[in-house]
Amino acid sequence: MNHTFPGRRVAAVSMILGPVLLLTGTLLRSGFGFFFPEQLRAMSEHPALMTAAYTCFLAGNVVLFPAIIALATEIGRTRRVLAAWAGLSVLIGLFERTFHAGIDQAALGLAGRRGAGFAESVVSESYQDLHLFSFLSFTIMFGWYVLAFAAYRAKVLGVDGSIGLATMGLLPLGVLKGTEFVSIIGTAGLCVALVPAGIRALLESPRPSRKTMLLTAVAIPALGALAFASTLG
């Protein structure tokens, strides 16, 4: 049997966790102003809540990539060109949001240590600085529309699922962006599109072998140790 990366079970978990984490992060920061001054002030006043919000959103963004690869692979069985354009566009958009998250982390750290006013002055002075992803920002929104169209044309998702994917194109982009109503629509729409498909794929996946389960049981604590060690330097 041919193996397709990242594997059915991994892709299924990605389809479930990725959208849920994005929606959670979006909802957690929904009580604060949308633009960066308000976000930085919120970090100074509610550090635990804002840290959780931005961490959930970043985690969802990263966890989502296996689902996109699997979806593009499925589309590619009948629509190869569309699958390539759609998959690459969305993945580049995910990379860009991850890049933005690094800037968010640095700015929020400044707000926590030096105060919102200091962090706001640093961000405002550097907000328009050019970098590689300045030229690729269109992928963050555009990619989801292409993926939605491709999934519909390839009959990988139905009308509801395809519309749900397309709503992610409404999610605002940029550094230190809070939550607007369209942010909730976009992340909730992604849940509608991918979570049921992920649950079905997980239930239909063959039961893992004893060898796989044993390897997983050994790997989880080992990865946890490596994750802790990664924070030390």
Side-chain angles (χ1 to χ4, degrees):
M1 181 181 295
N2 294 330
H3 173 71
T4 301
F5 179 82
R8 185 181 182 90
R9 194 175 296 275
V10 172
V13 172
S14 172
M15 288 179 177
I16 297 168
L17 283 185
V20 170
L21 285 168
L22 286 174
L23 178 60
T24 301
T26 298
L27 292 174
L28 285 176
R29 62 190 183 201
S30 62
F32 308 101
F34 177 71
F35 292 104
F36 71 86
E38 291 89 349
Q39 291 291 296
L40 293 171
R41 284 196 291 272
M43 183 62 186
S44 295
E45 297 167 3
H46 308 278
L49 177 59
M50 293 301 286
T51 297
Y54 276 87
T55 300
C56 284
F57 194 88
L58 171 59
N61 194 66
V62 174
V63 168
L64 195 58
F65 88 88
I68 302 306
I69 292 175
L71 193 58
T73 299
E74 192 65 26
I75 293 168
R77 300 187 192 283
T78 57
R79 304 280 178 174
R80 293 185 180 182
V81 175
L82 268 178
W85 279 104
L88 288 173
S89 295
V90 173
L91 288 173
I92 291 171
L94 293 180
F95 292 151
E96 179 150 4
R97 283 200 187 275
T98 303
F99 174 79
H100 288 164
I103 302 174
D104 294 343
Q105 175 66 33
L108 293 171
L110 281 176
R113 291 177 175 84
R114 300 290 297 274
F118 178 81
E120 183 179 340
S121 66
V122 173
V123 173
S124 63
E125 290 173 8
S126 60
Y127 202 83
Q128 296 297 326
D129 287 354
L130 286 178
H131 47 75
L132 171 62
F133 284 115
S134 298
F135 303 95
L136 298 171
S137 292
F138 70 92
T139 61
I140 293 179
M141 294 181 170
F142 179 74
W144 290 104
Y145 299 133
V146 180
L147 186 64
F149 177 72
Y152 176 73
R153 290 287 293 163
K155 298 181 180 179
V156 172
L157 294 176
V159 174
D160 292 345
S162 299
I163 292 174
L165 279 185
T167 61
M168 269 294 285
L170 301 174
L171 192 63
L173 58 89
V175 174
L176 292 170
K177 291 297 191 295
T179 295
E180 291 186 320
F181 183 63
V182 291
S183 310
I184 298 173
I185 292 175
T187 49
L190 187 65
C191 289
V192 170
L194 295 186
V195 171
I199 293 173
R200 284 196 303 270
L202 201 58
L203 293 175
E204 294 170 0
S205 297
R207 184 175 179 177
S209 65
R210 290 184 62 183
K211 180 179 179 180
T212 299
M213 293 176 69
L214 179 61
L215 179 61
T216 301
V218 172
I220 288 176
L223 290 173
L226 287 173
F228 174 76
S230 297
T231 67
L232 302 179

